[in-house]
């Protein structure tokens, strides 16, 4: 009996091995499974490669650099932006500098642009070249390019105002009362005020020059009663933070607003009840507690 045990054991082992091979084949394991894993890995690699290619395609499809960037003025005190916007006036001139410069293009109402910087009430934008839409251009436009046009109103004066001392007759918009203002190119020239874009006044027609009419830069605010208190209230450029509810001076009146961004010692504000086209950067002399 003992002599038949090895034969019986060998038969059992052979049967077991054969059954295991059949089971492995049924379950897709063993050598076949390894091959499947390799195929799956190859498929995964192919999928990853496709995803990488898609990413590369997205990068390739990103907005190209403006082809005229080298010829457009830049300023150290620009306030950086990355905001999609729409031109709301007809025949808006885009120029290489502010307040005036060489014309880059004329944009129609409804043109989609991106605001990339702001300075003194002017915006540096990028946009599709009207003559070659696949290319991008950049340049400066007046802030009123983003505000619906209104009919210019007659000046609130019945006789011409004569400005002296190197000042010029200007106003903040088409309907502003003209005042004698100091020309400027930077806030530092305004004694605590701001150097802002303004309309020049047509003394013959007694109206402000509308877009794309003449524009200039003049001092707004500054050395006037209450300015020092307002500046102290704001602190050393750090009193206000994003989200603060404040009041902002505009054309001699105060309006409720909210601080939405900071930049170069100024505060970008959104006026309560007004659209984003009225958002602007203001200095400490034009902002106070609500």
């Amino acid at each position: 009996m003992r002599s038949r045990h090895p034969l019986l054991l060998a038969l059992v082992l052979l049967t077991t091995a054969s059954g295991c091979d059949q089971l492995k084949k049924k379950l897709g394991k063993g050598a076949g499974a390894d091959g499947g894993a390799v195929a799956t890995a190859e498929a995964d690699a192919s999928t990853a490669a496709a995803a990488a290619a898609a990413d590369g395609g997205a990068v390739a499809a990103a907005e190209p650099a403006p082809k005229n960037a080298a010829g457009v003025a830049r300023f150290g005190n620009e306030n950086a932006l990355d905001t999609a916007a729409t031109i709301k006036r007809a025949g808006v001139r885009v120029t290489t500098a502010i307040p005036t410069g060489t014309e880059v293009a004329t944009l129609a109402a409804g043109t989609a642009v991106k605001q990339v910087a702001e300075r003194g009430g002017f915006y540096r934008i990028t946009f599709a070249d009207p003559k070659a839409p696949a290319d991008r251009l950049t340049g400066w436009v007046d802030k009123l390019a983003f505000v619906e046009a209104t009919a210019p109103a007659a000046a609130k004066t019945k006789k011409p105002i004569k400005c002296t001392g190197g000042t010029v007759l200007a106003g903040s918009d088409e309907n502003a009362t003209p005042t004698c203002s100091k020309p400027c190119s930077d806030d530092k020239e305004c004694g605590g005020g701001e150097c802002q874009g303004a309309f020049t006044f047509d003394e013959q027609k007694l109206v402000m020059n509308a877009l794309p009419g003449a524009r200039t830069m003049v001092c707004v605010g500054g050395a006037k009663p209450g300015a020092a208190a307002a500046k102290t209230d704001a602190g050393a450029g750090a009193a206000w933070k994003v989200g603060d509810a404040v009041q902002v001076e505009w054309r001699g009146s105060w309006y409720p607003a909210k601080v939405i961004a900071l930049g170069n010692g100024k505060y970008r504000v959104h006026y309560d009840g007004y659209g984003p086209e009225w958002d602007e950067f203001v200095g400490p002399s034009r902002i106070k507690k609500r």
Side-chain angles (χ1 to χ4, degrees):
M1 293 293 292
R2 207 182 315 175
S3 63
R4 291 190 298 190
H5 287 174
L7 180 59
L8 179 59
L9 180 59
L11 181 60
V12 170
L13 292 175
L14 181 60
T15 302
T16 302
S18 177
C20 286
D21 284 342
Q22 291 177 358
L23 180 60
K24 288 179 180 179
K25 288 179 181 179
K26 184 176 181 180
L27 297 177
K29 296 182 179 180
D34 290 343
V38 170
T40 301
E42 290 175 349
D44 290 343
S46 177
T47 301
D55 289 342
V59 171
E63 179 181 304
K67 63 182 182 181
N68 68 326
V72 173
R74 300 288 299 273
F75 303 90
N77 60 348
E78 290 180 9
N79 298 294
L81 296 171
D82 184 12
T83 307
T86 302
I87 298 296
K88 294 191 175 180
R89 299 195 179 210
V92 170
R93 294 177 66 245
V94 184
T95 58
T96 56
I98 53 176
T100 59
T102 303
E103 184 174 307
V104 174
T106 300
L107 302 182
T111 301
V113 303
K114 180 186 288 186
Q115 298 172 343
V116 295
E118 182 275 350
R119 179 179 184 266
F122 291 88
Y123 287 87
R124 184 160 53 83
I125 62 173
T126 63
F127 56 95
D129 184 346
K131 297 179 180 179
D135 296 328
R136 299 289 289 182
L137 294 175
T138 186
W140 292 90
V141 296
D142 187 277
K143 66 181 179 181
L144 293 183
F146 305 104
V147 179
E148 297 285 354
T150 57
K156 298 175 183 178
T157 177
K158 299 196 178 191
K159 59 182 180 179
I161 300 173
K162 298 299 181 182
C163 295
T164 59
T167 59
V168 297
L169 199 58
S172 58
D173 62 35
E174 298 102 322
N175 299 312
T177 300
T179 59
C180 294
S181 305
K182 176 185 175 182
C184 59
S185 60
D186 191 270
D187 289 348
K188 296 177 182 177
E189 303 171 24
C190 297
E194 302 171 47
C195 188
Q196 288 280 328
F199 283 101
T200 54
F201 184 68
D202 187 326
E203 295 187 22
Q204 299 300 317
K205 297 180 180 179
L206 295 182
V207 297
M208 293 295 179
N209 285 308
L211 286 175
R215 289 282 273 165
T216 187
M217 301 280 283
V218 298
C219 290
V220 177
K224 61 183 181 180
K231 190 169 184 178
T232 301
D233 187 31
W240 311 113
K241 61 182 182 298
V242 174
D244 281 350
V246 296
Q247 292 187 72
V248 177
E249 185 273 331
W250 189 76
R251 288 178 58 187
S253 298
W254 292 89
Y255 294 83
K258 180 187 291 185
V259 177
I260 59 175
L262 310 176
N264 289 319
K266 290 189 175 183
Y267 309 92
R268 186 167 176 79
V269 297
H270 174 77
Y271 293 97
D272 293 2
Y274 290 83
E277 65 271 16
W278 290 98
D279 296 354
E280 63 174 333
F281 279 95
V282 301
S285 65
R286 292 179 57 199
I287 190 169
K288 68 181 183 179
K289 291 180 180 178
R290 189 184 295 192

